[in-house]
Amino acid sequence: MKHFRKELWFQVPTRRAFINITSQIEDCLRESGIRNGLLLCNAMHITASVFINDDESGLHHDYDVWLEKIAPHEPVSQYRHNVGEDNADAHMKRQIMGREVVVAITDGKLDFGPWEQIFYGEFDGRRKKRALVKIIGE
Ligand code: ZN
């Protein structure tokens, strides 16, 4: 069995953003040479997510509005976590949007359903952060 590991780095200039990383994941898959197996991608930070959904800007706006309703950034004083930091909402947003995705690899391709794309969700950006890609198979 072959295995492959790579870190993808991000420096998002805003506090929150959704970035389509599908082509970067496909580059990893090509680099790995693995044709059949499983791919894991996870955020390596507790204030960021990796998730799969549609690449549609209206939906991403809706996510942002929805997440702000559930875990609003302001006022930062409403959270006990925010002693010396201001990112309690980012921890909660990450919890809702998830840590990782697993995708089947079939004949050298991501074996997606219709419209599926992989996103890095940033909830406390403006610094260097990363996601891990691990691929196993043959
Ligand atoms: Zn924190």
Side-chain angles (χ1 to χ4, degrees):
M1 189 184 72
K2 287 194 219 172
H3 56 94
F4 175 90
R5 181 189 189 276
K6 192 164 190 175
E7 293 175 2
L8 304 178
W9 285 85
F10 305 95
Q11 178 138 18
V12 175
T14 51
R15 183 177 288 274
R16 293 193 301 274
F18 298 120
I19 300 166
N20 189 333
I21 59 170
T22 309
S23 65
Q24 288 171 267
I25 301 283
E26 286 169 340
D27 289 345
C28 290
L29 182 56
R30 263 189 296 278
E31 197 181 328
S32 77
I34 292 169
R35 300 279 303 159
N36 286 283
L38 288 173
L39 180 148
L40 165 80
C41 182
N42 66 270
M44 296 181 82
H45 302 264
I46 50 181
T47 53
S49 290
V50 173
F51 64 95
I52 292 179
N53 216 299
D54 194 1
D55 193 3
E56 196 278 299
S57 61
L59 180 65
H60 295 178
H61 172 80
D62 295 340
Y63 276 146
D64 197 49
V65 170
W66 176 64
L67 290 167
E68 272 296 290
K69 276 185 202 156
I70 298 169
H73 178 64
E74 302 275 357
V76 295
S77 61
Q78 72 190 299
Y79 299 105
R80 290 193 188 182
H81 178 69
N82 285 343
V83 178
E85 56 182 323
D86 66 354
N87 68 0
D89 66 303
H91 290 271
M92 293 173 179
K93 286 163 176 149
R94 179 265 170 84
Q95 204 69 37
I96 293 163
M97 297 304 282
R99 171 181 182 265
E100 77 274 308
V101 300
V102 176
V103 182
I105 306 303
T106 304
D107 298 333
K109 290 191 170 155
L110 300 171
D111 204 340
F112 280 147
W115 305 107
E116 286 192 324
Q117 295 280 289
I118 305 173
F119 296 89
Y120 174 76
E122 179 60 82
F123 307 115
D124 186 22
R126 302 164 301 171
R127 57 197 166 100
K128 281 188 82 178
K129 292 165 81 169
R130 63 206 154 120
L132 175 67
V133 178
K134 181 83 183 190
I135 311 172
I136 56 170
E138 54 189 22

